[in-house]
Amino acid sequence: MKVATPEQIGRMDTEAITKIGIPGIVLMENAALKVVEEIVKSVGNLKEKKAVVLAGKGNNGGDAFAVARHLHNIGAKVLVFITSKKSEIKNDAEINLKIIERINIETVEIISENEVLKFKEELEACDVIIDGIFGTGFKGQISGIIDEVVEFVNSSSKYVVAIDIPSGVNGETGKVLGRCIKAHKTITFSYPKIGLLINPGCEYTGELVIADIGIPKIISDAVNMETTLIDESHVSGIIPERCRESSKGNYGRVLIVSGSTGMTGSGCLCAKAALRSGSGLVYLGVPSSLRDIYGTQLVEPIVIPLEDKGKGYLSKESINEIIKEMERMDAAAIGPGVSSRQDISDLMGELIISATIPLVLDADALNAVSKDVGVLRKSKVPVIVTPHPGEMSRLTGISIADIQKDRIKHARDFSGKYNVITVLKGAKTIIATPDGRIYINPTGNPGMSTAGTGDVLTGIITGFLGQGFASEDAAAAGVFLHGLAGDIAAAKKGEYGLIAGDLIDELPHAINKILQKKG
Ligand SMILES: NC(=O)C1=CN([C@@H]2O[C@H](COP(=O)(O)OP(=O)(O)OC[C@H]3O[C@@H](n4cnc5c(N)ncnc54)[C@H](O)[C@@H]3O)[C@@H](O)[C@H]2O)[C@@H](O)CC1
Ligand SMILES: [K+]
């Protein structure tokens, strides 16, 4: 599903009004009806129930006035608090304000401490709070009396519904600089806004509902939305049904270059995940002195011992063997458990430059690349890098805290600078393409913060690359299914006891769920 910036949504609204001739008040009415429908779904029959509606001075407030009218019509006792002077309210919002005044819905301007006290009392007795203070027009930080109002809402323990965006979230960046409405449900219009999907904004939205308010397709299609929220239908468009007549040769050969003494598990997880994502043949290139360990752990993958002179880690001496093996492969992953010795750095640089098949670089490969990041630009093949924030910090020299503050920007900058696809892991994994497009992944849970889950992701993405998916599709489908497998595992076992191997077990179920979408 496409994701919009507030500016793009504003443009769609304006063009629907000016170019197509749909009056703004009609869009506002559509928006309000969708909000009321969702309130009823969550709170039930509102007859005789008390609703407190908060309205700001912009069009978000206009929506709130129209919501108040419909709640009143279905029998709710509605009280509207306005966070500005009524005289500041203009245009469509003013029309809706005048309407509710004419039908005797009580409206109170909260402009002094007296009204704040009244507001606090009313909150205690109400059944639902509707937040229409700020929407896409919000910038900066909530302050003054509105700050107190938001604090009371958040400490009220009442059900809170946000109109379009919880007031206080920046719809473009997801930043929350001050206090912010913590909603149980947010009904956002036309398309999700980026700020509702990424941290910290997404922590405030509660359940997110996307409501169509009638923007004509001709208008929205003309807006170039560069951000995609990966969803089931997106992934089902990537994963093909298997051909009835096929053999393992149809589903790719992948090479996983992995392992050092004490770090053999990562390659095993990676290889199993590649197989569970449908790979025809998985080859695991490992230091030859460790081959027996893999032999006892793995049945289906083929182990290729790479000369290590008995050292238990790979070095530059294995380069020719690896490059030769790559010639018969369709994709390769390099990195899981290879250790971070200098020998590995030298090996990585040469492999990246010489590779002739799509690559996934993970873990120690990224740490090695950090010493000379420019080598990524010398690759002749598509490269996917899968850093967690710590690895991203080493690759860029930017602190983890700063990366986390603007994950989209840092992923996009890195992809643009080094011509790679960046999979920036963490809650809401971000994928950035070299031409600046972004994918946001909604699946996954904190149970996946455990050793080996990154190796599983690398295996899935590599498996998909080997099956001929474009790098961007392999990354998008890979992160979504990895998170979905984690969600299925967490539903069965809880988040505490979840381990990386559980993701591999659930991966076939996650893929099946997506294939069923194809109908
Ligand atoms: N015709 C339209 O354009 C439609 C707009 N809709 C609604 O309108 C909203 C956007 O309306 P607006 O553009 O009027 O914006 P908002 O209603 O979000 O509010 C903007 C107002 O808040 C002020 N403001 C911004 N940041 C502030 C801060 N930190 N502290 C104090 N005041 C601040 C601005 O100066 C402006 O007066 C959407 O979110 C949506 O809810 C919907 O009704 C659909 C149709
Ligand atoms: K709002």
Side-chain angles (χ1 to χ4, degrees):
M1 177 190 296
K2 286 289 175 194
V3 178
T5 62
E7 185 275 325
Q8 288 168 334
I9 288 283
R11 209 175 341 136
M12 283 182 222
D13 289 346
T14 306
E15 292 193 356
I17 295 165
T18 56
K19 286 196 180 161
I20 307 293
I22 302 175
I25 195 106
V26 170
L27 297 177
M28 196 172 266
E29 191 70 8
N30 291 347
L33 285 167
K34 287 285 164 75
V35 172
V36 172
E37 192 182 312
E38 291 299 329
I39 295 172
V40 172
K41 265 192 214 163
S42 299
V43 187
N45 184 355
L46 279 152
K47 209 163 176 349
E48 298 300 317
K49 294 254 176 79
K50 260 190 127 162
V52 165
V53 177
L54 278 160
K57 63 180 171 183
N59 282 332
N60 198 248
D63 297 344
F65 297 135
V67 166
R69 165 165 43 89
H70 288 291
L71 292 178
H72 172 81
N73 286 349
I74 58 177
K77 292 180 192 157
V78 184
L79 184 53
V80 179
F81 286 91
I82 306 171
T83 56
S84 72
K85 291 210 173 99
K86 288 185 184 175
S87 56
E88 291 179 59
I89 294 166
K90 302 282 179 231
N91 307 322
D92 294 338
E94 186 185 8
I95 294 172
N96 270 312
L97 170 60
K98 291 267 154 55
I99 293 173
I100 63 168
E101 285 179 327
R102 278 182 219 116
I103 56 176
N104 298 326
I105 293 176
E106 191 183 346
T107 56
V108 180
E109 296 169 332
I110 316 191
I111 41 182
S112 78
E113 289 301 326
N114 285 341
E115 293 92 40
V116 175
L117 278 180
K118 177 173 169 62
F119 174 69
K120 197 174 165 224
E121 276 166 29
E122 293 295 339
L123 279 193
E124 279 162 21
C126 82
D127 298 288
V128 60
I129 302 168
I130 292 104
D131 159 35
I133 307 176
F134 299 118
T136 49
F138 177 77
K139 295 223 162 54
Q141 180 172 348
I142 283 179
S143 58
I145 274 189
I146 302 180
D147 185 72
E148 286 180 55
V149 166
V150 172
E151 188 184 359
F152 286 131
V153 171
N154 288 349
S155 52
S156 70
S157 74
K158 303 290 174 172
Y159 193 85
V160 180
V161 175
I163 302 178
D164 206 17
I165 294 180
S167 300
V169 174
N170 182 309
E172 178 160 7
T173 62
K175 285 187 180 151
V176 175
L177 299 178
R179 228 182 280 282
C180 179
I181 292 282
K182 187 128 177 57
H184 295 92
K185 189 174 203 176
T186 297
I187 299 98
T188 199
F189 306 133
S190 306
Y191 291 90
K193 284 80 189 165
I194 295 172
L196 298 175
L197 303 176
I198 55 175
N199 277 304
C202 63
E203 301 291 330
Y204 293 84
T205 58
E207 182 192 348
L208 183 63
V209 177
I210 292 108
D212 181 0
I213 62 165
I215 302 293
K217 207 168 168 306
I218 191 172
I219 296 294
S220 48
D221 281 353
V223 176
N224 179 21
M225 288 175 268
E226 298 164 325
T227 306
T228 301
L229 174 67
I230 311 168
D231 56 15
E232 290 188 358
S233 75
H234 184 85
V235 179
S236 86
I238 294 172
I239 311 251
E241 293 277 4
R242 287 210 152 183
C243 180
R244 290 304 95 194
E245 230 173 274
S246 59
S247 74
K248 61 185 181 231
N250 296 106
Y251 300 109
R253 288 166 194 264
V254 301
L255 175 67
I256 294 161
V257 179
S258 171
S260 57
T261 303
M263 297 292 284
T264 49
S266 40
C268 296
L269 289 166
C270 189
K272 283 184 194 170
L275 282 163
R276 286 287 189 205
S277 57
S279 276
L281 287 152
V282 174
Y283 295 80
L284 197 57
V286 302
S288 56
S289 60
L290 306 177
R291 65 188 295 178
D292 291 348
I293 301 177
Y294 292 94
T296 55
Q297 290 291 319
L298 298 169
V299 180
E300 295 89 350
I302 300 148
V303 177
I304 303 175
L306 300 166
E307 184 53 66
D308 71 343
K309 303 237 162 47
K311 290 187 279 191
Y313 57 87
L314 297 171
S315 64
K316 232 178 152 182
E317 281 97 67
S318 355
I319 183 98
N320 290 336
E321 273 177 280
I322 300 173
I323 291 171
K324 195 160 180 303
E325 289 296 346
M326 277 188 183
E327 282 167 15
R328 59 183 181 124
M329 304 288 165
D330 297 299
I334 305 175
V338 290
S339 96
S340 51
R341 295 167 177 276
Q342 182 55 44
D343 309 51
I344 300 296
S345 297
D346 299 342
L347 172 71
M348 286 312 143
E350 291 222 17
L351 275 182
I352 290 165
I353 294 168
S354 319
T356 49
I357 50 175
L359 291 182
V360 182
L361 302 180
D362 184 27
D364 289 328
L366 297 177
N367 295 332
V369 165
S370 300
K371 294 172 191 161
D372 174 20
V373 191
V375 75
L376 290 172
R377 278 201 223 98
K378 297 184 190 156
S379 168
K380 296 185 283 288
V381 293
V383 173
I384 299 175
V385 294
T386 60
H388 57 55
E391 287 159 348
M392 190 68 172
S393 172
R394 282 192 283 280
L395 284 168
T396 57
I398 299 166
S399 73
I400 295 178
D402 283 345
I403 285 167
Q404 293 297 75
K405 269 186 212 150
D406 204 341
R407 287 163 54 80
I408 289 183
K409 174 187 162 17
H410 293 299
R412 182 184 269 143
D413 286 354
F414 192 81
S415 285
K417 194 165 172 194
Y418 296 108
N419 193 31
V420 294
I421 288 181
T422 305
V423 176
L424 179 55
K425 296 187 288 200
K428 314 279 173 190
T429 290
I430 301 294
I431 300 170
T433 65
D435 60 2
R437 281 168 305 111
I438 295 291
Y439 293 87
I440 301 172
N441 183 50
T443 58
N445 62 79
M448 295 167 71
S449 307
T450 177
T453 51
D455 303 316
V456 173
L457 176 64
T458 297
I460 302 172
I461 296 175
T462 311
F464 286 159
L465 280 178
Q467 289 169 71
F469 296 12
S471 295
E472 190 174 328
D473 288 344
V479 297
F480 186 90
L481 287 163
H482 178 254
L484 184 55
D487 291 341
I488 296 171
K492 289 184 183 167
K493 298 185 173 168
E495 291 176 354
Y496 271 79
L498 197 153
I499 58 170
D502 296 333
L503 304 187
I504 298 171
D505 293 343
E506 299 302 343
L507 190 57
H509 304 294
I511 295 174
N512 270 349
K513 189 164 183 231
I514 296 303
L515 288 176
Q516 279 158 12
K517 278 261 143 186
K518 284 183 174 290

